[in-house]
Amino acid sequence: MAVNTTPQSPLPVGEVSRLIGGWIDRLGAVWVEGQITQLSRRPGAGVVFLTLRDPSYDISVSVTCYRQVFDAVADVVGEGARVVVLAKPEWYAPRGQLSLRATEIKPVGVGELLARLEQLKKALAAEGLFAPERKKPLPFLPQLIGLVCGRASAAERDVLENARHRWPAVRFEVRNVPVQGVHAVPQVVQAVKELDAIDDVDVIIVARGGGSVEDLLPFSDEQLVRAVAGCRTPVVSAIGHEPDNPLLDHVADLRASTPTDAAKKVVPDVGEELERVRMLRDRTRRCMAAFVEREERGLAHALARPSIEDPHRMLDERADHVSSLLDRGRRTLGHLLDRADSELTHTHARVVGLSPAATLRRGYAVLQRADGHVVRDPAEVTAGEALRARVADGEFTVTAGE
C-alpha cells in the first residue's frame, strides 16, 4: 500500500524499515529454488547460515535455518547443490536486510532436473530455436576463432593444440570463464556476447570437458540458450563427451562431440587441403589434356575432309560440269537454229514458188477488165472490149476478139 509523503513530512528510516518488514510479513512462506553457494555450520551453534543463489542471474539471498532442519539433509546437500527450501521472508529492520527463514530443505534430484530440462527443451523447440533452418553455415577457413572455456582447462588445450596443428596460421580470441557453478551462466553469456560483437570473429566455440549432469547444467540454462540463438556469428557447442547432451547442443549451429572434435570440424587440415589442391590440379591437367587431344583429333579429321584438303576441287568439278552443259546448250541451240533456218528457207521457196509473181515470170498473164475484175471465163468479155494484161515485168492493153 502506498504511503503519502512530502519533502516537508518525510518518513524516518526506522518507519520505512518497519513498513517494509510489514509488507514482507504479508508474503508468507514460499518454496524457493536455488543453488547453495556458501554454507556456515559452526560447531555448537543452533542455527545454520547459507546463501542461496539463482544460477541464471546474479542474485542471491541469505537463508537461515535451525540446525535440526539442515541436519536432515546434511548428508546429501553441500555447497554447489541445488535445493528447494520452504522459507518465510524476514526483514531485519536494524540493518535493513532481507533473509529467508527455512523450515524445510529438499535436494533437487537428477531425475527432477532432467524432467525440468526436458520441459524447457520442448518449450524452446516450440519457439523454433532448434529449427534446422536457423543453423548458420561455418566458414571454410576462419581467420579468427572465439573460444569460451575454463581457464587452463583441458578443453582449452585440446582446441588450441589441435587447431594450430591442423592450420598453424589460425588465431584465437579466448575468454576464460567459470564453466560450472553459480557464476558460470552469466559469465559464459557475457563472453559469448562479447565475442559475437567482434566483427573479425568468424566462429565461436563454447568448450568444456565432460562432467556430471549437475556440472553441465549451466549449458542447459535458458538464458544461455537464448543468447546463443541471438548470435549473428556461428556457434559451435563442444560440451562434454559423446553421451552428454545439454540444450546448448540443440541451439548451436554445429555440435561437436568433444573439444578436439570441435577443432577438427572448425579448422581445415592444411595437409589435407594441399593434397586436395594437388589432386584437383592433376584432375584439371588431365581434363585439359583430354580436351586438347579431343579437339586436335576433331581438327585433324576436319582438315582431312576433301572440301578442306583441296577446297578448289569442288569448284573445278562444278566448272567442268558447267562447261559441259554450256557446250551442250550451244550445240542444241545451233541445231535448233539450223533446223529453223532450213525450214524457213523451204517455206520461203514454197511461198515464192506459189506466189502470182512467180507464175507471171513463167509466161503467164492476168487479164483484168476496166473495173479491175480478173477475167476467169471467156464468156465474161465481149468482142472488142479493151482489157488490161498484167505480166511479170508490167502490163499492157489488149482488145478481145470475136
Side-chain angles (χ1 to χ4, degrees):
M1 184 179 296
V3 177
N4 294 325
T5 60
T6 64
Q8 291 74 28
S9 58
L11 290 178
V13 173
E15 180 63 16
V16 172
S17 181
R18 185 189 66 79
L19 290 173
I20 293 175
W23 293 330
I24 291 177
D25 284 340
R26 296 195 188 101
L27 181 60
V30 292
W31 285 100
V32 182
E33 180 185 359
Q35 188 173 15
I36 298 176
T37 57
Q38 294 179 356
L39 179 60
S40 176
R41 300 175 63 192
R42 298 176 183 176
V47 178
V48 176
F49 298 90
L50 54 94
T51 300
L52 202 61
R53 185 181 182 88
D54 189 331
S56 301
Y57 301 93
D58 191 16
I59 299 176
S60 58
V61 64
S62 298
V63 179
T64 61
C65 65
Y66 291 113
R67 191 176 190 88
Q68 58 269 28
V69 174
F70 187 82
D71 286 345
V73 293
D75 294 337
V76 294
V77 168
E79 288 190 5
R82 284 178 175 258
V83 294
V84 176
V85 301
L86 177 61
K88 185 178 186 308
E90 292 183 347
W91 181 256
Y92 186 60
R95 294 185 181 178
Q97 292 180 347
L98 175 68
S99 63
L100 298 176
R101 171 71 68 172
T103 58
E104 187 176 355
I105 300 177
K106 291 184 177 182
V108 178
V110 174
E112 187 176 356
L113 287 175
L114 293 178
R116 294 182 183 179
L117 290 181
E118 187 63 26
Q119 293 178 354
L120 178 60
K121 177 181 177 181
K122 292 180 179 178
L124 296 176
E127 294 183 27
L129 297 186
F130 303 156
E133 55 269 19
R134 290 177 56 92
K135 309 294 183 183
K136 296 178 285 293
L138 270 62
F140 166 71
L141 180 59
Q143 301 297 314
L144 182 62
I145 300 176
L147 176 60
V148 180
C149 58
R151 186 179 302 277
S153 61
E156 179 181 6
R157 182 179 63 254
D158 290 344
V159 173
L160 296 180
E161 290 182 357
N162 282 279
R164 287 168 178 163
H165 176 74
R166 293 173 63 83
W167 199 277
V170 69
R171 297 180 294 116
F172 281 89
E173 185 74 22
V174 182
R175 293 291 185 273
N176 294 122
V177 296
V179 290
Q180 69 182 59
V182 294
H183 300 287
V185 173
Q187 294 197 31
V188 171
V189 170
Q190 181 181 357
V192 169
K193 291 182 177 179
E194 288 179 0
L195 293 174
D196 185 53
I198 301 176
D199 293 334
D200 293 338
V201 173
D202 299 317
V203 63
I204 300 172
I205 300 176
V206 181
R208 176 203 151 85
S212 63
V213 175
E214 292 86 348
D215 293 338
L216 299 182
L217 282 178
F219 300 98
S220 293
D221 188 87
E222 181 178 359
Q223 184 181 359
L224 176 58
V225 171
R226 294 189 181 278
V228 171
C231 286
R232 60 174 182 80
T233 308
V235 177
V236 177
S237 173
I239 306 301
H241 298 290
E242 191 65 40
D244 303 325
N245 192 23
L247 297 185
L248 180 62
D249 288 348
H250 298 281
V251 74
D253 299 292
L254 178 68
R255 176 187 181 271
S257 57
T258 62
T260 300
D261 183 50
K264 293 180 179 180
K265 289 183 175 179
V266 171
V267 181
D269 184 85
V270 63
E272 294 178 358
E273 296 306 318
L274 289 175
E275 179 64 18
R276 186 176 289 108
V277 170
R278 185 191 64 79
M279 293 176 59
L280 291 175
R281 186 186 296 117
D282 292 343
R283 180 181 177 185
T284 302
R285 287 174 178 171
R286 291 194 300 271
C287 292
M288 289 303 299
F291 174 77
V292 172
E293 183 180 356
R294 184 171 61 254
E295 294 302 316
E296 286 180 345
R297 288 197 303 269
L299 182 59
H301 180 70
L303 292 176
R305 292 180 178 178
S307 59
I308 302 299
E309 187 176 15
D310 185 8
H312 297 285
R313 179 180 177 182
M314 184 180 296
L315 294 178
D316 295 340
E317 292 177 353
R318 294 295 183 269
D320 295 341
H321 185 61
V322 170
S323 298
S324 175
L325 292 176
L326 181 59
D327 294 342
R328 180 181 175 183
R330 286 175 178 173
R331 289 194 302 271
T332 302
L333 181 60
H335 294 326
L336 292 176
L337 292 176
D338 292 342
R339 184 187 306 168
D341 182 66
S342 177
E343 291 179 354
L344 181 61
T345 301
H346 291 308
T347 302
H348 181 267
R350 290 172 59 190
V351 170
V352 171
L354 296 175
S355 66
T359 303
L360 293 178
R361 278 195 294 271
R362 289 197 299 271
Y364 292 95
V366 177
L367 295 178
Q368 292 178 318
R369 299 177 67 181
D371 57 2
H373 285 84
V374 178
V375 178
R376 294 181 177 82
D377 189 353
E380 294 179 357
V381 297
T382 61
E385 184 180 356
L387 300 174
R388 235 186 9 255
R390 186 174 181 178
V391 295
D393 294 328
E395 60 182 24
F396 55 88
T397 304
V398 296
T399 301
E402 292 182 1

